[in-house]
């Protein structure tokens, strides 16, 4: 951390060059370690809440009497709100202080989680989920921005390695945690604990974050670009909404019209940002002149795409294609999580010494294990057991675990500290857009093949086709990573 991790006075990013962790051999102080844990817990709350609700949807539907369309808004309302606010949230941190904005977002998210747990009807629950999304959109961009301006040297790469571990574990544990908490029916509350658990965790983040996170602001960001904020939000809604909802409505014409309008508004937004390049723009377009940043965003987009495509279809394959119970399917996700944690720990231990070679090696391992898994499935093993798939599934997780943290580290390595919030917002937006594209692709390559049938053979065949698309995304991601630096700048300096 900076000279005092307990210092609550805001500093300008130019001061970060004096950061004591810039020495390659320096160790994190106790205060810096606590600050790292706090921001990563904030990130984990978001990742879990993106998926924890999925396994609780049947219980929510049963208790509220809601139809499928209304229930779907529990996830769509949350994800849409997050996507449209990430870029603005990142810039808010640059202007008003990343710690302050992170804590405000956490407070909003915690209050919204309490409202979700206390909701008596579906309408209130959906509104509270949207409120949660607002909190996350403000909170999450501050995580990467804080890591970027706070840590240097090996400490920086370790911090991003732990960030990758959180991404890996959270993405697969959400559905498991949702199922366990709902099944446990704690105090007769049914699905409500999946939201109420955020309250004590959020309060801990608020208390410890106020104490241990050092404040930081950008040197030249003195006001918010309100026009840019509006244009970016409208563009995100027009793009993400039809991608998310298109399959449900059988891809009517209005979906494609919304996409076209979204691209048009995006073009207007980029033109407006270009005109404001010297007047505190919402997005610092000069960031894209760095091929590492542009390549890293592309890799992040592809990572989101394959996650959006793979995890949903894998769940359906396990339960409908192989007839596994929800508990066995959860164990399969646990195997993937263990592999991802091991891969993320490799990234943490190596502390950025291998640059782009580490995430590229992870992609190769993931692609090889995906191929082996596909051969298992296509060989006609209708009774494929959890034990038989253990090795390829864990290796797949291991490879993916080596990707997330290093991509973030290498993408943001040369970003000026004064643009950390803007860059972080863009990076997180790339992931959410990728997930939206993956969700849309799911309709094309999986549900079209099954025709909505629960027949096991159709689900097995459809999932085999999905693996070809996931493999293709991995191959393109490997190629895009050549734009990333051979060596992390913190090691090269």
């Amino acid at each position: 951390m900076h000279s005092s991790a307990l210092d609550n006075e805001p500093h300008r990013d130019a001061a970060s060059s004096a950061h004591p962790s810039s020495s390659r051999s320096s160790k994190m102080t106790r205060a810096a370690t606590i600050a790292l844990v706090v921001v990563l817990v904030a990130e984990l709350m978001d990742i879990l809440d993106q998926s924890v609700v999925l396994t609780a949807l049947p219980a929510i539907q049963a208790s509220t009497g809601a139809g499928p369309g209304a229930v779907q808004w529990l996830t769509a309302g949350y994800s849409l709100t997050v996507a449209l606010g990430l870029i603005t949230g990142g810039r808010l941190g640059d202007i008003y202080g990343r710690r302050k904005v992170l804590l405000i977002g956490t407070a909003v998210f915690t209050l919204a989680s309490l409202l979700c747990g206390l909701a008596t009807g579906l309408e209130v629950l959906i509104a509270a989920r949207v409120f949660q999304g607002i909190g996350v959109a403000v909170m999450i961009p501050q995580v990467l921005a804080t890591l970027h301006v706070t840590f240097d040297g090996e400490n920086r790469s370790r911090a991003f390695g732990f960030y990758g571990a959180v991404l890996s574990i959270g993405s697969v544990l959400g559905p498991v945690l949702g199922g366990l908490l709902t099944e446990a029916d704690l105090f007769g509350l049914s699905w409500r604990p999946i939201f109420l658990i955020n309250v004590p965790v959020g309060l801990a983040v608020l208390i410890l974050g106020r104490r241990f996170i050092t404040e930081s602001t950008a040197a030249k960001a003195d006001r918010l670009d309100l026009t840019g904020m509006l244009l970016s939000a409208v563009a995100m809604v027009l793009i993400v909404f039809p991608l998310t909802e298109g399959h449900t409505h059988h891809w009517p014409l209005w979906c494609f019209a919304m996409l076209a309008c979204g691209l048009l508004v995006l073009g207007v937004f980029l033109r407006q940002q270009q005109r404001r390049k010297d007047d505190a723009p919402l997005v610092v377009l000069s960031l894209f002149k760095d091929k590492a940043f542009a390549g890293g965003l592309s890799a992040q987009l592809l990572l989101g795409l394959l996650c959006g495509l793979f995890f949903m279809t894998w769940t359906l394959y396990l339960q409908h294609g192989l007839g596994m119970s929800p508990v066995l399917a959860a164990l399969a996700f646990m195997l993937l999580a263990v592999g991802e944690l091991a891969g993320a720990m490799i990234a943490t231990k190596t502390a950025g010494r291998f640059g782009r070679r580490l995430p590229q090696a992870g992609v190769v391992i993931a692609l090889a294990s995906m191929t082996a898994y596909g051969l298992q499935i296509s060989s006609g093993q209708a009774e494929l057991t959890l034990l038989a798939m253990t090795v390829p599934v864990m290796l797949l997780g291991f490879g993916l675990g080596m990707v997330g943290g290093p991509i973030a580290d290498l993408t943001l390595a040369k970003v000026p500290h004064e643009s950390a919030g803007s860059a972080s917002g863009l990076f997180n937006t790339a992931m959410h857009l990728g997930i939206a594209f993956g969700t849309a692709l799911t309709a094309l390559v999986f549900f079209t093949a099954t025709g909505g049938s629960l027949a096991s053979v159709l689900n097995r065949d459809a999932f085999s086709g999905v693996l070809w698309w996931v493999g293709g995304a991995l191959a393109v991601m490997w190629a895009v990573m050549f734009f990333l630096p051979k060596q992390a700048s913190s090691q090269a300096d």
Side-chain angles (χ1 to χ4, degrees):
M1 300 290 291
H2 288 267
S3 55
S4 172
L6 306 180
D7 182 10
N8 289 330
E9 293 301 318
H11 65 78
R12 295 294 171 179
D13 289 328
S16 62
S17 60
H19 197 299
S21 70
S22 60
S23 170
R24 289 182 57 181
S25 60
S26 65
K27 294 183 179 180
M28 287 189 195
T29 65
R30 173 178 171 272
T33 301
I34 294 174
L36 174 62
V37 171
V38 170
V39 295
L40 292 182
V41 168
E43 179 74 35
L44 182 62
M45 286 195 298
D46 165 49
I47 298 169
L48 290 176
D49 259 67
Q50 289 182 44
S51 56
V52 72
V53 72
L54 295 177
T55 44
L57 285 178
I60 293 174
Q61 189 171 8
S63 66
T64 61
V71 169
Q72 189 172 9
W73 271 100
L74 290 176
T75 55
Y78 178 87
S79 60
L80 277 171
T81 309
V82 172
L84 68 87
L86 284 171
I87 296 175
T88 298
R91 205 55 178 162
L92 286 172
D94 286 341
I95 298 171
Y96 299 108
R98 290 152 192 144
R99 183 193 62 186
K100 180 189 295 183
V101 174
L102 184 145
L103 295 181
I104 290 173
T106 301
V108 171
F109 177 82
T110 304
L111 176 60
S113 297
L114 178 62
L115 294 176
C116 285
L118 298 177
T120 55
L122 189 66
E123 294 79 6
V124 176
L125 183 56
I126 291 174
R129 283 286 282 172
V130 171
F131 195 30
Q132 271 190 319
I134 294 173
V136 166
V138 172
M139 173 177 69
I140 290 308
Q142 317 317 320
V143 173
L144 279 178
T146 299
L147 296 183
H148 179 58
V149 304
T150 300
F151 297 99
D152 286 310
E154 289 187 355
N155 286 341
R156 171 194 166 89
S157 293
R158 290 192 188 103
F160 277 99
F162 286 119
Y163 170 81
V166 167
L167 290 181
S168 301
I169 299 305
S171 63
V172 295
L173 286 188
V176 177
L177 182 63
L180 291 177
L181 288 175
T182 302
E183 186 69 23
D185 193 19
L186 298 173
F187 308 108
L189 293 174
S190 183
W191 49 269
R192 298 178 187 278
I194 70 172
F195 299 114
L196 294 176
I197 194 174
N198 290 326
V199 176
V201 177
L203 290 175
V205 170
L206 288 171
I207 295 170
L208 295 176
R210 179 70 180 85
R211 172 69 170 155
F212 290 101
I213 297 175
T214 304
E215 184 61 285
S216 64
T217 57
K220 298 179 180 179
D222 55 356
R223 64 179 182 273
L224 188 63
D225 175 10
L226 295 178
T227 302
M229 182 179 72
L230 177 62
L231 288 172
S232 67
V234 171
M236 287 301 101
V237 170
L238 290 174
I239 292 172
V240 174
F241 181 81
L243 289 175
T244 305
E245 298 290 301
H247 168 71
T248 304
H249 301 282
H250 307 290
W251 295 103
L253 182 60
W254 62 259
C255 281
F256 298 100
M258 283 188 72
L259 280 171
C261 290
L263 294 175
L264 178 62
V265 175
L266 181 61
V268 174
F269 167 68
L270 293 175
R271 180 61 177 166
Q272 184 260 351
Q273 294 295 287
Q274 178 64 29
R275 290 176 176 174
R276 287 185 60 107
K277 63 180 180 179
D278 298 320
D279 188 24
L282 189 68
V283 173
V284 183
L285 294 180
S286 60
L287 291 172
F288 291 93
K289 294 180 180 179
D290 177 17
K291 67 177 183 179
F293 183 77
L297 249 63
S298 299
Q300 181 78 342
L301 181 75
L302 288 164
L303 181 61
L305 185 150
L306 69 88
C307 287
L309 177 59
F310 178 76
F311 287 121
M312 179 186 294
T313 56
W314 192 40
T315 301
L316 296 173
Y317 160 72
L318 293 173
Q319 297 192 48
H320 298 322
L322 296 180
M324 287 187 179
S325 67
V327 174
L328 276 180
L331 287 176
F333 274 88
M334 291 294 291
L335 291 175
L336 189 74
V338 170
E340 287 197 86
L341 180 59
M345 287 301 100
I346 293 294
T348 302
K349 292 293 185 182
T350 56
R353 288 192 292 272
F354 298 106
R356 72 186 181 211
R357 289 172 291 174
L358 183 68
Q360 282 187 314
V363 170
V364 170
I365 293 172
L367 183 56
S369 58
M370 187 78 73
T371 302
Y373 193 30
L375 290 174
Q376 272 190 327
I377 296 169
S378 61
S379 63
Q381 297 188 41
E383 303 301 324
L384 184 60
T385 63
L386 187 61
L387 180 62
M389 69 175 70
T390 295
V391 172
V393 166
M394 291 189 71
L395 282 176
L396 173 61
F398 182 76
L400 292 177
M402 295 167 63
V403 173
I407 286 182
D409 186 11
L410 296 169
T411 301
L412 301 178
K414 295 183 180 180
V415 170
H417 285 184
E418 66 181 30
S419 301
S422 179
S424 178
L426 288 169
F427 190 80
N428 283 285
T429 299
M431 170 61 82
H432 282 268
L433 278 177
I435 292 174
F437 282 120
T439 301
L441 196 56
T442 296
L444 176 65
V445 302
F446 186 83
F447 290 115
T448 299
T450 63
S453 172
L454 300 182
S456 58
V457 64
L458 289 177
N459 278 269
R460 288 196 300 271
D461 291 345
F463 186 66
S464 296
V466 165
L467 294 184
W468 282 99
W469 286 87
V470 174
L474 285 168
V476 176
M477 186 191 303
W478 178 83
V480 165
M481 285 181 183
F482 277 105
F483 289 105
L484 298 174
K486 292 181 180 180
Q487 197 172 26
S489 62
S490 57
Q491 301 301 318
D493 290 340

